[in-house]
């Protein structure tokens, strides 16, 4: 349990730091582009602007941290109940909020700090109440369902975000979180890992669900950081990557709390989600203000 918790905390730090660095890179790329370039007809970033953001050094370092966080998070998903591992990893919201004050010049309101405090308190409750993790086996039909739903979320979500344009930051964050949540479930049920069997691994639909969820979730998270509040987008991501895998772990994979502490686990889970939603609600206005306050400089000459 202790190793799993430490692994999840390390993943959270990597993800939180990576999110802020990616936001810095995304916004620097936006300032360097002409105002009309890089947006769709609906006001959202197009693939070209997202690719430019991904080429900044801040974004590259942030992405490397995300990959490290992914590896640590995958290990935590196999060592802890999903409702605990995903929620601890989602505490990257706190890292993101604190670092955004320094690196993005964002001023957090008292309500945002209070909401972050609720999330931290919820994590303590969850860690106290968490019991053993369930099994790693699921019927093959579940693996196929996971792949199908992941494809629907990532492809359909990408289209929806492009149509909604500049007002889709929270939706993009939520969909990226659902992708990362599906990734956590896929890692948990992946066949061919223990004992290692390459043939089984490569023929498992869960492996491809992990790849689709990782790539799609990364793209949607980048879009959310480009068009909205870094704290609001990250908070929406927290909801997506926590609720779905936590429920699946308890209902179908046998995750459980300590005897007599189910109520404490439920309370901690609800508080974590509510706190994240509150940060998303209070933080979304910052994204709009920031976008209005940061005009694109005219080309010199």
């Amino acid at each position: 349990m202790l190793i799993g918790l430490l692994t999840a905390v390390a993943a959270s730090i990597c993800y939180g730091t990576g999110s802020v660095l990616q936001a810095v890179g995304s916004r620097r790329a936006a300032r360097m582009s002409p105002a009309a370039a890089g947006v769709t007809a609906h006001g959202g970033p197009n693939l070209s602007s997202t690719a430019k953001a991904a080429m900044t050094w801040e974004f590259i370092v942030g992405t490397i941290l995300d990959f490290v966080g992914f590896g640590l998070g995958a290990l935590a998903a196999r060592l802890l109940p999903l409702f605990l591992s995903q929620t601890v990893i989602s505490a990257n919201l706190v890292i993101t909020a604190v670092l955004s004050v320094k690196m993005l010049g964002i001023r957090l309101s008292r309500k945002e700090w209070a909401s972050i405090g609720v999330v931290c308190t919820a994590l303590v409750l969850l860690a106290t109440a968490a019991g053993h993790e369930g099994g790693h086996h699921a019927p093959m039909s579940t693996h196929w369902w996971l792949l199908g739903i992941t494809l629907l979320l990532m492809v359909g979500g990408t289209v929806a975000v492009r149509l909604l344009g500049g007002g889709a930051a929270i939706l993009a964050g939520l969909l990226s979180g659902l992708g990362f949540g599906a990734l956590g479930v896929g890692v948990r049920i992946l066949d061919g890992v223990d004992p290692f069997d390459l043939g089984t691994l490569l023929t498992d639909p869960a492996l491809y669900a992990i790849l689709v969820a990782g790539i799609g979730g990364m793209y949607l998270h980048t879009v959310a950081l480009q068009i909205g509040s870094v704290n609001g987008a990250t908070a929406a991501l927290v909801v997506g990557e926590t609720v779905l895998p936590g429920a699946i772990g308890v209902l179908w994979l046998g995750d459980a709390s300590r005897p007599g502490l189910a109520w404490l686990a439920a309370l901690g889970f609800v508080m974590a989600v509510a706190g994240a939603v509150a940060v998303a609600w209070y933080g979304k206005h910052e994204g709009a203000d920031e976008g209005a306050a940061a005009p694109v400089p005219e080309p010199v000459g």
Side-chain angles (χ1 to χ4, degrees), residues 60-88:
I60 292 171
V61 173
T63 301
I64 292 172
L65 286 174
D66 277 346
F67 278 114
V68 174
F70 165 74
L72 294 170
L75 179 59
R78 296 188 71 89
L79 295 175
L80 298 172
L82 282 174
F83 70 83
L84 177 59
S85 66
Q86 295 301 114
T87 308
V88 172

Side-chain angles (χ1 to χ4, degrees), residues 123-293:
L123 295 179
V124 174
L125 297 181
L126 280 169
T128 301
H132 65 85
E133 78 279 6
H136 301 282
H137 176 73
M140 186 53 63
S141 60
T142 302
H143 295 228
W144 282 107
W145 272 108
L146 180 64
L147 176 58
I149 292 173
T150 301
L151 281 168
L152 179 63
L153 284 174
M154 295 299 97
V155 176
T158 298
V159 173
V161 167
R162 286 176 61 81
L163 291 176
L164 291 173
I170 299 300
L171 175 62
L174 178 62
L175 288 170
S176 67
L178 289 172
F180 293 139
L183 188 153
V185 174
V187 167
R188 176 68 173 273
I189 66 175
L190 187 61
D191 291 334
V193 175
D194 186 20
F196 180 74
D197 186 326
L198 182 60
T200 300
L201 186 67
L202 292 177
T203 56
D204 190 347
L207 174 64
Y208 302 98
I210 291 170
L211 295 175
V212 171
I215 295 171
M218 184 71 68
Y219 169 73
L220 289 169
H221 186 46
T222 302
V223 170
L225 292 175
Q226 285 182 283
I227 61 179
S229 157
V230 61
N231 292 324
T234 303
L237 183 150
V238 165
V239 175
E241 74 175 342
T242 303
V243 175
L244 181 64
I248 290 174
V250 170
L251 295 175
W252 288 296
L253 299 179
D255 290 346
S257 61
R258 293 182 181 179
L261 292 182
W263 66 271
L264 189 62
L267 176 62
F269 189 82
V270 171
M271 285 179 61
V273 174
V277 171
V279 175
W281 175 257
Y282 296 127
K284 68 179 182 179
H285 304 291
E286 169 264 310
D289 295 341
E290 183 177 283

Side-chain angles (χ1 to χ4, degrees), residues 13-21 24 65 92-106 108 113 230-231:
I13 294 172
C14 288
Y15 279 133
T17 306
S19 290
V20 176
L21 286 173
V24 171
L65 286 174
N92 68 74
L93 169 68
V94 178
I95 307 297
T96 299
V98 173
L99 287 180
S100 67
V101 173
K102 180 68 175 178
M103 299 181 69
L104 295 173
I106 294 172
L108 301 181
W113 281 117
V230 61
N231 292 324

